[in-house]
Amino acid sequence: MSTNATQWIRGAVPVAGALAIMLAPIAGEGHARASLAIAVAMVLFWITDVLHPAIVGFIGCFLFTAVGGVEFETAFAGFGTATPWFLYGSLLLISAADRAGVIAWLGDRTPRAVTGSVMAASAGLLCAAYLLGLVVPSGLARATLLLVPALAWARRSSTPMTTTGGLVLVAMYGAATFDRVLPTPAGVVALDVATALALLMGVAWLSREASPDDAEGGEPGEPPAVDVDWRIAALVAVTAALWVTTPVHGLAPAIVGLAAGLITCFPGLTRATAQKAISPDPLAIILAGAALSIPAVLLETKAADVVVGAWSAATEGWSADGMAAYWATTLYRLLSPDGGPPQLPILDGHDGVGSGAAWAAAGVTLLSLYQSPALILGMSVGRCRQAQMLKLGLVVLAALSLAVILF
């Protein structure tokens, strides 16, 4: 099948999804049906990756105002939350750390046993993600910290262009999902172990994909000397310390991250570098704001009641069938991205313990980059692609479905 035909088919899927919602026999007040159809189309466009995700987000928010029956402030409500601007601060901080040589310095001092194996590096990043989940309350803060070693280790691998997307993606996935507070229940630990194993299997699958940019391949030679700007290194260290000690001082992680990013913009603080530096995609901020606007619109137009009603109908009488509830909740969460308010109603407590377990499992099953600001950060900085994200998410979905059946 030709590339153009494939693109047309992928583009037809979101349109068909929106039409299905418009023609479905569902009850809804006012503009509920239209806003739900637009939201479903946005989600499917993001998953099929037909257009740049930021463009899809902008178009969707505009349509919410044009035909969805909501005010501009509601249609673009996600941009008024802290998440997009926290993401901006993270982009600035990571860019400054790269220009300052911090990432290269860390890569040079990491043992070859770690950087020489994708699986070893992935396992190390997942362990770090889990430990950070115990002390750092913000997923985006954890993602920013994990992005430094992920980029450093990927660059020291024998195939940096192929490895970067996989390592960054697994690190960001771990940052988005390993959010635990001690004491950790045994069931949650089992869920985390199953997720980690699924992520390792997924990154092993992704690492088999060759990239034409890796034609030079081979073992990396002796790295050139790195001139580190220790002022930026100190700023990164202080920011990390403030995030880890958030319960002590009470400063919001978003404020700390944005402040650190803005400090890097002060004249004379960062210097130009001859080495190749990362070029983050700033449109990621638009994607984050648009994704978080969806729940606000669905709540305002009462479309959220339709979504919750559909979930309840799909899982009615299935409290003993954990897999059915798990799949239904995974689909539900596609309309409620993580990262900050507003959120669609939490479904814990519906149909007893079964739905609580389904919600927990669905909370770590991410199928698209827009579902977490940590994954959006990986897309902007680490060249994570939606196709990779979907494959990794399907591996997690299959593994946790099997775990739900067995346990």
Side-chain angles (χ1 to χ4, degrees), residues 12-397:
V13 170
V15 176
L19 289 176
I21 295 297
M22 292 300 295
L23 299 176
I26 57 177
E29 299 180 6
H31 295 277
R33 188 188 298 268
S35 62
L36 183 57
I38 295 169
V40 168
M42 292 170 67
V43 168
L44 292 177
F45 267 116
W46 282 328
I47 292 176
T48 56
D49 198 21
V50 180
L51 299 172
H52 191 291
I55 301 301
V56 173
F58 242 148
I59 293 174
C61 290
F62 168 77
L63 290 177
F64 282 142
T65 300
V67 301
V70 296
E71 299 294 330
F72 182 91
E73 291 77 7
T74 303
F76 291 84
F79 294 87
T81 65
T83 299
W85 312 113
F86 186 3
L87 178 63
Y88 180 58
S90 296
L91 295 179
L92 292 175
L93 186 61
I94 291 295
S95 297
D98 192 33
R99 294 195 304 272
V102 175
I103 293 177
W105 179 88
L106 178 62
D108 293 347
R109 282 152 182 79
T110 302
R112 184 64 186 150
V114 175
T115 60
S117 169
V118 174
M119 297 304 291
S122 299
L125 290 171
L126 287 175
C127 289
Y130 187 84
L131 293 176
L132 285 175
L134 300 176
V135 292
V136 179
S138 168
L140 190 49
R142 296 192 298 272
T144 305
L145 296 178
L146 288 169
L147 196 54
V148 175
L151 291 173
W153 297 352
R155 289 178 181 178
R156 290 294 297 143
S157 70
S158 59
T159 55
M161 294 299 291
T162 297
T163 305
T164 297
L167 285 188
V168 170
L169 185 56
V170 76
M172 299 302 95
Y173 204 118
T177 57
F178 294 150
D179 187 5
R180 303 292 177 246
V181 179
L182 291 175
T184 305
V188 174
V189 172
L191 178 62
D192 288 338
V193 171
T195 304
L197 292 176
L199 290 174
L200 289 176
M201 290 188 294
V203 80
W205 180 21
L206 293 176
S207 65
R208 292 177 178 272
E209 299 177 353
S211 170
D213 296 320
D214 277 328
E216 69 276 8
E219 291 291 321
E222 188 67 23
V226 178
D227 181 18
V228 181
D229 187 339
W230 294 105
R231 297 173 300 173
I232 298 298
L235 177 62
V236 174
V238 170
T239 304
L242 289 174
W243 279 334
V244 171
T245 57
T246 296
V248 177
H249 53 72
L251 289 175
I255 296 298
V256 173
L258 185 55
L262 293 176
I263 288 174
T264 65
C265 298
F266 287 0
L269 184 59
T270 57
R271 50 178 171 73
T273 178
Q275 66 182 4
K276 184 179 179 180
I278 57 177
S279 300
D281 183 359
L283 292 180
I285 301 169
I286 296 177
L287 172 58
L292 290 177
S293 298
I294 290 178
V297 172
L298 297 184
L299 289 169
E300 177 71 20
T301 60
K302 306 300 182 182
D305 296 338
V306 176
V307 176
V308 174
W311 182 92
S312 300
T315 57
E316 184 178 2
W318 287 357
S319 58
D321 187 349
M323 189 175 69
Y326 165 53
W327 276 63
T329 308
T330 298
L331 294 176
Y332 176 93
R333 286 183 62 88
L334 288 174
L335 294 171
S336 187
D338 293 329
Q343 291 285 296
L344 292 184
I346 302 299
L347 299 181
D348 286 337
H350 288 255
D351 290 338
V353 179
S355 72
W359 182 269
V364 298
T365 306
L366 306 175
L367 300 175
S368 184
L369 293 167
Y370 77 91
Q371 288 188 270
S372 170
L375 296 173
I376 296 176
L377 178 64
M379 178 200 75
S380 175
V381 176
R383 298 193 302 274
C384 297
R385 301 187 300 273
Q386 173 56 34
Q388 292 177 308
M389 179 66 233
L390 184 59
K391 291 177 182 178
L392 194 63
L394 290 176
V395 171
V396 174
L397 181 67

